[in-house]
Amino acid sequence: MANEAHIKLRPGVETVLEQCHTAAIPLLVFSAGIGNIIEEVLKSKNLLYNNMHIVSNMMTFDDKDVCVGFDEPLIHVFNKSEFQLEETAYYESIKDRPNVILIGDSLGDLQMSQGVKHELSLNIGFCNHDFNSLEPIYKEAFDIVIMQDANFGPVIDLLEAITK
């Protein structure tokens, strides 16, 4: 079904995922969306790599493949800091890494790295709407702000610089 859907990824995301895979950088997709859909879309585009983990809302199905609910706990933009990454398989791949690059599109996403011990967190924010009112707030909160549904160019440049 994901192959038939016309889902457009932000330009450059393919390159970012490939760069992280090639450099063996653990990558977490931490989303308040539906994890099953995220996983299927990534698979359909051949972008689900072994360095990636998805922490998201996973649907549960009955014996007729009908969605009957979601695994607990439900993740939403305001509880991402409460989710315990230490309880996931992803944690083993990051527990000794001192640095985090956090990429989010809401102020609530800034809480995602709080469950992980790190020395440095570089926070990159995508400001996708209400540009005039949110730009000063995002510039105060994030280290780098990418405006108006722009591409992943700055992230690609950063990854190229740190993986040389």
Side-chain angles (χ1 to χ4, degrees):
M1 185 159 69
N3 287 328
E4 298 168 14
H6 298 287
I7 297 174
K8 186 176 177 183
L9 300 177
R10 186 183 297 265
V13 72
E14 297 94 342
T15 303
V16 168
L17 299 179
E18 290 167 6
Q19 284 176 305
C20 289
H21 173 67
T22 301
I25 298 171
L27 190 141
L28 174 65
V29 178
F30 196 172
S31 174
I34 300 174
N36 310 70
I37 294 172
I38 294 167
E39 184 175 323
E40 289 304 315
V41 168
L42 290 171
K43 282 181 184 176
S44 75
K45 296 182 180 297
N46 296 314
L47 293 172
L48 187 60
Y49 299 110
N50 61 0
N51 65 311
M52 297 173 65
H53 298 272
I54 299 171
V55 174
S56 188
N57 296 307
M58 301 302 285
M59 296 183 286
T60 55
F61 297 91
D62 65 13
D63 57 356
K64 295 177 183 166
D65 285 333
V66 173
C67 178
V68 293
F70 289 89
D71 291 343
E72 294 288 333
L74 286 178
I75 300 169
H76 54 79
V77 70
F78 299 112
N79 74 347
K80 287 183 178 178
S81 65
E82 297 169 14
F83 193 83
Q84 297 300 314
L85 290 178
E86 291 90 348
E87 297 172 11
T88 68
Y90 174 71
Y91 183 72
E92 264 314 296
S93 66
I94 63 161
K95 68 179 183 178
D96 297 321
R97 290 183 169 260
N99 304 318
V100 171
I101 299 173
L102 183 148
I103 302 171
D105 64 1
S106 76
L107 295 170
D109 288 340
L110 288 164
Q111 308 306 312
M112 290 187 292
S113 66
Q114 289 188 356
V116 179
K117 293 179 182 144
H118 56 273
E119 295 171 19
L120 174 72
S121 179
L122 178 65
N123 301 312
I124 301 171
F126 281 97
C127 185
N128 301 323
H129 57 85
D130 301 320
F131 311 114
N132 293 333
S133 62
L134 288 178
E135 182 177 14
I137 297 166
Y138 271 56
K139 284 185 173 180
E140 180 69 26
F142 289 95
D143 300 309
I144 297 170
V145 177
I146 301 170
M147 299 294 293
Q148 301 183 359
D149 284 328
N151 64 41
F152 267 87
V155 178
I156 292 167
D157 293 343
L158 174 66
L159 288 170
E160 285 175 357
I162 65 174
T163 58
K164 284 185 178 179

